[in-house]
Amino acid sequence: MSNVSHSLTRRRLLRGLALAGGAAVLQGCVSALPATGTTAGRFVRRELTSNGRRYAYQVFVPAAQVPRPLPVVLFLHGSGERGDDGEKQIHAGLGPYVRAHAADFPALVVFPQSPDGESWEGDTATMALATLDAATAEFDGDRSRTSLTGMSRGGYGTWSLALREPTRFAALVPVCGGITPPGSRPDLDTLFVESTHAARDPFAEAARRLRDIPSWIFHGALDDVVPPEQSRRMHAALRDAGADVRYTEFPDANHNSWDAAYRTEALWPWLFAQKR
């Protein structure tokens, strides 16, 4: 072999080794980089106009690696979170739980806000459903896996919105809610589900119309704002109607049964397994 050919062969060999080594280094760098799409989910603020009125609402959008389309949860807050700041509704009930599990919570969650002095009826219910439609469309939500939950006044709202659109929701999770006025304070005498209020038995009427939607009801046994009898009667009525219904009553909880409810580990796999 000539010196020229030997030198050429040597250069080719060294170049090949350099390329191979570079590729190995590059591969090592890529594997050391954080995977894309692993950031935690986030809350985003949105606004819409419903019946000529402007409303702010919040949406929790899961991390990018969560498969789309996303299951959707509509959350209805209680009396204390009413207003127009677009913020209070994510700081009690489901919001704190979702924030604590933002890295792996696998669902889109919609948080409308009821104006002061109103319940989840009439125009306020229309607005809540409009936020659900808007968020579902914007963030690739799955309409066939859309569930509804709420606490206290929002627990009443859960029954009310489901009665308004009984084919929309795959599951219901009312927390310390009810059907008829609680009877605990005069200022709550107007808190009831309007669409069944005139029925001879509002619980039986609601159960008859909602028996095809799986439900998991939560309440505190010591609740002195909305007595647990509200949920006990609704559970019994749904059971008598042949519904798929679960009831959990926390023996040591007063009105705040929502923290314990949303921490119930079995709730989430059950909820996300429901589909219309």
Side-chain angles (χ1 to χ4, degrees):
M1 181 180 293
S2 68
N3 289 337
V4 174
S5 61
H6 177 77
S7 177
L8 180 61
T9 302
R10 186 171 180 271
R11 285 199 302 271
R12 287 174 176 171
L13 177 60
L14 291 173
R15 185 165 60 247
L17 290 172
L19 290 172
V25 171
L26 180 61
Q27 184 178 23
C29 290
V30 170
S31 63
L33 292 173
T36 59
T38 58
T39 57
R42 67 197 192 281
F43 286 85
V44 299
R45 182 187 175 99
R46 291 291 185 268
E47 293 185 353
L48 60 72
T49 299
S50 178
N51 293 320
R53 187 172 181 177
R54 195 76 176 167
Y55 298 91
Y57 64 100
Q58 298 263 355
V59 184
F60 173 79
V61 184
Q65 72 268 23
V66 177
R68 269 61 172 170
L70 296 162
V72 186
V73 180
L74 176 61
F75 170 73
L76 307 179
H77 62 74
S79 298
E81 294 72 55
R82 292 180 292 183
D84 58 7
D85 64 340
E87 292 288 338
K88 286 188 290 187
Q89 73 270 30
I90 65 171
H91 294 292
L94 185 53
Y97 178 86
V98 170
R99 187 178 296 104
H101 296 81
D104 56 7
F105 195 80
L108 191 71
V109 189
V110 187
F111 297 86
Q113 185 178 30
S114 167
D116 285 327
E118 298 187 17
S119 292
W120 298 103
E121 302 279 357
D123 288 347
T124 302
T126 298
M127 173 273 294
L129 293 168
T131 66
L132 176 61
D133 288 336
T136 299
E138 180 178 358
F139 298 107
D140 198 12
D142 188 344
R143 288 182 63 91
S144 69
R145 292 187 296 156
T146 297
S147 55
L148 173 59
T149 185
M151 65 186 210
S152 190
R153 191 175 294 269
Y156 278 81
T158 298
W159 297 123
S160 183
L161 264 67
L163 286 161
R164 178 168 172 159
E165 293 205 7
T167 62
R168 178 69 190 268
F169 299 104
L172 307 175
V173 184
V175 182
C176 58
I179 297 291
T180 61
S184 56
R185 301 195 316 238
D187 62 305
L188 297 178
D189 288 347
T190 58
L191 178 59
F192 51 81
V193 174
E194 289 185 359
S195 64
T196 59
H197 188 57
R200 178 177 299 179
D201 184 340
F203 293 89
E205 177 62 16
R208 181 187 67 80
R209 293 163 56 183
L210 297 176
R211 62 189 175 192
D212 294 330
I213 311 176
S215 302
W216 193 334
I217 305 168
F218 292 89
H219 219 113
L222 306 180
D223 196 329
D224 57 2
V225 178
V226 179
E229 189 63 21
Q230 287 284 328
S231 287
R232 293 169 186 166
R233 290 182 65 184
M234 190 56 184
H235 172 240
L238 283 165
R239 188 181 55 204
D240 291 345
D244 176 1
V245 59
R246 301 181 180 196
Y247 178 49
T248 297
E249 187 171 291
F250 302 108
D252 299 323
N254 199 305
H255 191 49
N256 181 356
S257 54
W258 48 83
D259 287 339
Y262 294 129
R263 285 197 305 261
T264 301
E265 290 185 7
L267 170 64
W268 301 109
W270 172 85
L271 188 70
F272 298 139
Q274 308 307 318
K275 189 173 183 178
R276 289 208 65 85

